Amino acid sequence: MSYIRIAKASWDGGLEKARKAYELIGPVPEKDSHKYAVLAAGQLPDMGFKSTKLSPKWVVFPQSEVMFEYTLDESKANHHILQEVPAAPGARAVIGIRPYDAKAIQLTKMNFDNKDYKDPFWLRNYERCTFVGLAINEPSSTDFSTSCGTGPFAEEGLDVLLVDAGDAFIAKVLTDKGKKFLSEAGFAEEAGADAAKAVEDLKAKAEAAITSKVSYNKIAGKTIMDLYDAPFWKDVLFGCINCGTCTYACPTCWCFDIQDEVKGTDGVRVRNWDSCMTGLFTHHASGHNPREHEWERTRQRFMHKLKYFVDKYDAGLMCVGCGRCVEQCPANIDIRTVCNTLNDF
């Protein structure tokens, strides 16, 4: 494990060098918050950002992704045959991704890359990425990541972890991909013998600042039907309006729909984000909907994250404790309350 010191005065110049080898993605201002976006020529990430309304999960799972294209023109030899859209070329570096968002990508990877199924579109997006994380020195009041198997300085899923140390970043090199990125940027100054301790001290301070927690140690021992039929659901979820904000803001939600879009004789098959909170999501062609009521759809969301995922993968919750859904829910429904209610039931 090595540590590199990056003086903030040389940060911008290094990124410009890295831009020759990578498409850069990073946090940029958007109204009263920030978002992750592809950085245009000359544009640099705002490394002083606090949070983003959406996670950067779109780098591996775009909101809309064209998978295939085809023609209905019967004068062409390949008519009515799906043609896979070639992968975008080149490497990407995701600058400033938060540790809990990197962990979220590893959780969703269990769905898109496992022994039974490998999603080629998700995987090709993932493999072109180098994840350059930014530790969180001052966690928000809704951050409960330390009780979800990650934390403000967690390293899982990252290639480099950057730590803001005042006038410089300390870069903890975690993988060969991370080492290559730093080399392309020209960041090579050894951070010195005190770097590891400085990072550990900041980590301990940040983790101690997180007082919000969830408990789920008893959920795996409960039966699905006991939790599914529990009497508290209608009360806990009474205010939910099924707007779907939580699902789109969540870094671990992966519901999608596939649609064909045709103009003239040219067509594309597109994968779009969807939400289990919408009535149409489970509406059968027969007209039957197994989740007819709003509270049933909200129950599905929480059962998936807090019970089904736990049972299927034995890898903890399908939640990284980023707090986005807590901050953005217009009905003030709090996943921490729901999780603790399930655990104590």
Side-chain angles (χ1 to χ4, degrees):
M1 198 72 67
S2 62
Y3 293 86
I4 300 295
R5 182 181 185 277
I6 305 172
K8 289 185 177 177
S10 64
W11 171 249
D12 293 357
L15 290 189
E16 288 303 326
K17 292 180 183 176
R19 196 188 294 274
K20 297 174 183 175
Y22 298 88
E23 180 181 59
L24 301 183
I25 294 167
V28 296
E30 182 186 49
K31 297 181 179 177
D32 59 345
S33 183
H34 282 74
K35 66 176 182 180
Y36 289 95
V38 174
L39 302 177
Q43 188 179 24
L44 295 165
D46 181 356
M47 299 298 276
F49 79 111
K50 297 296 183 185
S51 63
T52 58
K53 290 187 175 179
L54 297 182
S55 80
K57 70 178 178 182
W58 58 266
V59 300
V60 293
F61 179 46
Q63 289 169 307
S64 290
E65 181 173 29
V66 177
M67 307 164 73
F68 301 99
E69 56 189 7
Y70 53 86
T71 179
L72 305 178
D73 184 349
E74 296 187 1
S75 68
K76 297 182 178 177
N78 63 347
H79 69 87
H80 291 83
I81 298 176
L82 292 174
Q83 307 290 325
E84 185 173 332
V85 174
R92 279 177 149 180
V94 186
I95 312 294
I97 183 173
R98 295 303 197 183
Y100 45 58
D101 286 335
K103 166 75 174 183
I105 289 175
Q106 296 304 305
L107 292 180
T108 57
K109 191 171 186 286
M110 294 178 187
N111 182 62
F112 291 101
D113 180 19
N114 55 59
K115 64 182 178 59
D116 297 319
Y117 176 71
K118 294 187 182 302
D119 186 300
F121 305 98
W122 193 97
L123 280 170
R124 71 189 190 188
N125 291 333
Y126 175 78
E127 288 166 357
R128 65 189 290 234
C129 286
T130 297
F131 296 101
V132 182
L134 178 62
I136 305 171
N137 288 2
E138 298 177 357
S140 71
S141 61
T142 56
D143 185 329
F144 57 102
S145 58
T146 49
S147 56
C148 293
T150 178
F153 280 60
E155 300 169 5
E156 184 176 355
L158 292 176
D159 298 297
V160 177
L161 176 65
L162 299 175
V163 177
D164 191 331
D167 62 350
F169 294 112
I170 298 174
K172 189 173 184 179
V173 186
L174 302 171
T175 68
D176 288 342
K177 270 187 162 182
K179 184 177 182 180
K180 182 176 186 302
F181 171 81
L182 294 172
S183 176
E184 293 286 355
F187 299 137
E189 179 186 348
E190 293 292 334
D194 296 336
K197 183 177 185 308
V199 170
E200 286 302 313
D201 288 348
L202 288 168
K203 176 183 178 181
K205 183 179 179 182
E207 290 183 345
I210 295 177
T211 58
S212 179
K213 301 183 185 303
V214 295
S215 298
Y216 59 93
N217 58 307
K218 294 183 285 187
I219 289 179
K222 302 177 187 295
T223 70
I224 286 176
M225 293 314 300
D226 280 349
L227 294 178
Y228 184 88
D229 291 328
F232 54 75
W233 286 112
K234 288 185 180 178
D235 290 335
V236 171
L237 308 177
F238 174 75
C240 181
I241 57 175
N242 281 180
C243 65
T245 296
C246 53
T247 58
Y248 298 124
C250 178
T252 68
C253 277
W254 63 55
C255 287
F256 62 82
D257 186 23
I258 294 177
Q259 299 178 341
D260 278 9
E261 298 177 1
V262 178
K263 183 176 182 180
T265 58
D266 297 326
V268 292
R269 182 159 294 180
V270 187
R271 174 159 68 183
N272 300 308
W273 284 7
D274 204 340
S275 170
C276 60
M277 303 290 278
T278 66
L280 190 59
F281 186 75
T282 49
H283 198 156
H284 296 183
S286 66
H288 171 64
N289 193 333
R291 300 176 204 145
E292 179 181 1
H293 301 102
E294 292 175 346
W295 69 271
E296 292 173 320
R297 298 194 280 276
T298 313
R299 176 181 62 185
Q300 160 62 24
R301 178 171 189 270
F302 287 120
M303 284 290 286
H304 187 197
K305 291 189 171 301
L306 307 176
K307 178 57 177 172
Y308 304 150
F309 186 88
V310 170
D311 288 357
K312 182 173 182 178
Y313 293 110
D314 190 24
L317 302 175
M318 185 183 158
C319 173
V320 293
C322 67
R324 287 187 178 94
C325 62
V326 179
E327 295 171 358
Q328 297 180 45
C329 176
N332 293 322
I333 293 174
D334 192 325
I335 191 173
R336 296 169 297 184
T337 302
V338 178
C339 185
N340 290 332
T341 300
L342 263 67
N343 198 56
D344 295 338
F345 178 65

